[in-house]
């Protein structure tokens, strides 16, 4: 089934472990159109070079510099810690329509000093930390739309928090 109003997306870090899983999920979503798959290496290759189950019809791997951000709704960031904050810092104020879903730890902590302590990296987008939400969507349905930067928890926090949700509600 095709939909006219699909969400135009870019996946940065598409060839990594998490990025490939994200490509699999989003490529099957009826409301999502993957416009660009970006990485630093293997430019020009088909995504199915990395995972044979993925369609050759998806965009080839390219650099982020090729993206026309005016035509993108959401940038998914599946990058090493420290990289998403740099990219979001460059794009946030220039493209005010653009939303960011970060799969790294860059916006998980609200205190940049704790970020440095735990990740040994100085946070380069300190002013944007308070413009982000750490979100498991099941917990933040009402608040999530107020933010353009959505930080996703890792698999361990999610696997613990979701089953505990009924206890919190009662």
């Amino acid at each position: 089934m095709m939909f006219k109003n699909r969400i135009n997306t870019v996946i940065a870090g598409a060839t990594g472990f998490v990025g490939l899983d994200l490509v699999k999920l989003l490529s099957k979503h009826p409301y999502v159109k993957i416009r660009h798959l970006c990485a630093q290496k293997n430019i020009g290759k088909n995504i199915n070079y990395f995972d044979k189950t993925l369609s050759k019809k998806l965009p080839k791997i390219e650099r982020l510099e090729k993206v026309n951000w005016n035509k993108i709704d959401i940038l998914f960031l599946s990058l090493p810690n420290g990289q998403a904050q740099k990219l979001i810092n460059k794009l946030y104020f220039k493209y005010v329509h653009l939303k960011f879903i970060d799969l790294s730890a860059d916006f998980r902590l609200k205190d940049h000093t704790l970020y440095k302590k735990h990740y040994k990296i100085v946070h380069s987008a300190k002013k944007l930390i308070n413009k982000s939400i750490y979100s498991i969507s099941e917990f933040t349905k009402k608040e999530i739309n107020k933010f353009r930067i959505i930080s996703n928890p890792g698999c361990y926090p999610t696997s613990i928090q979701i089953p505990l949700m009924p206890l919190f509600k009662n």
Side-chain angles (χ1 to χ4, degrees), residues 5-18:
N5 297 322
R6 294 180 19 174
I7 299 167
N8 293 309
T9 64
V10 172
I11 301 173
T15 60
F17 180 76
V18 173

Side-chain angles (χ1 to χ4, degrees), residues 24 30 53 58 63 94 111 122 129-130 144 149:
K24 283 181 195 177
T53 65
L58 289 166
R63 295 193 188 283
K94 188 172 182 182
D111 183 339
V122 173
I129 292 173
N130 289 330
I144 200 167
I149 303 170

Side-chain angles (χ1 to χ4, degrees), residues 56-113:
K56 281 188 176 182
K57 294 179 184 178
L58 289 166
K60 290 185 177 186
I61 305 301
E62 62 183 329
R63 295 193 188 283
L64 281 165
E65 293 79 17
K66 299 284 186 180
V67 175
N68 178 350
W69 296 108
N70 291 310
K71 296 182 178 184
I72 302 302
D73 302 304
I74 298 176
L75 168 58
F76 287 89
L77 300 114
S78 179
L79 301 171
N81 293 337
Q83 298 304 306
Q85 58 189 267
K86 292 175 186 175
L87 185 54
I88 293 172
N89 209 19
K90 288 180 187 177
L91 301 173
Y92 187 86
F93 294 106
K94 188 172 182 182
Y95 302 97
V96 295
H97 70 284
L98 188 59
K99 291 191 176 194
F100 307 88
I101 299 180
D102 181 24
L103 303 173
S104 76
D106 282 4
F107 290 92
R108 289 181 185 164
L109 300 174
K110 289 293 185 186
D111 183 339
H112 67 89
T113 57

Side-chain angles (χ1 to χ4, degrees), residues 14-166:
T15 60
F17 180 76
V18 173
L20 284 170
D21 273 351
L22 184 60
V23 173
K24 283 181 195 177
L25 289 169
L26 293 179
S27 66
K28 295 174 186 171
H29 197 292
Y31 294 111
V32 172
K33 175 68 178 169
I34 298 173
R35 295 284 178 192
H36 302 274
L37 296 172
C38 299
Q40 295 297 311
K41 299 176 186 172
N42 299 297
I43 305 303
K45 288 190 176 178
N46 287 317
I47 193 70
N48 74 339
Y49 171 82
F50 303 95
D51 184 329
K52 301 295 181 211
T53 65
L54 291 168
S55 171
K56 281 188 176 182
K57 294 179 184 178
L58 289 166
K60 290 185 177 186
I61 305 301
E62 62 183 329
R63 295 193 188 283
L64 281 165
E65 293 79 17
K66 299 284 186 180
V67 175
N68 178 350
W69 296 108
N70 291 310
K71 296 182 178 184
I72 302 302
D73 302 304
I74 298 176
L75 168 58
F76 287 89
L77 300 114
S78 179
L79 301 171
N81 293 337
Q83 298 304 306
Q85 58 189 267
K86 292 175 186 175
L87 185 54
I88 293 172
N89 209 19
K90 288 180 187 177
L91 301 173
Y92 187 86
F93 294 106
K94 188 172 182 182
Y95 302 97
V96 295
H97 70 284
L98 188 59
K99 291 191 176 194
F100 307 88
I101 299 180
D102 181 24
L103 303 173
S104 76
D106 282 4
F107 290 92
R108 289 181 185 164
L109 300 174
K110 289 293 185 186
D111 183 339
H112 67 89
T113 57
L114 286 176
Y115 181 85
K116 183 179 181 194
K117 178 182 175 185
H118 292 290
Y119 296 101
K120 311 297 184 229
I121 302 168
V122 173
H123 204 288
S124 64
K126 292 175 191 149
K127 292 179 181 177
L128 295 177
I129 292 173
N130 289 330
K131 296 183 182 299
S132 69
I133 185 170
Y134 175 81
S135 174
I136 294 178
S137 59
E138 290 80 359
F139 293 120
T140 60
K141 285 180 185 177
K142 293 178 184 174
E143 299 89 24
I144 200 167
N145 287 328
K146 298 174 189 170
F147 294 88
R148 288 179 46 217
I149 303 170
I150 300 163
S151 176
N152 282 225
C155 53
Y156 295 127
T158 303
S159 69
I160 292 166
Q161 291 178 42
I162 297 272
L164 289 175
M165 192 162 48

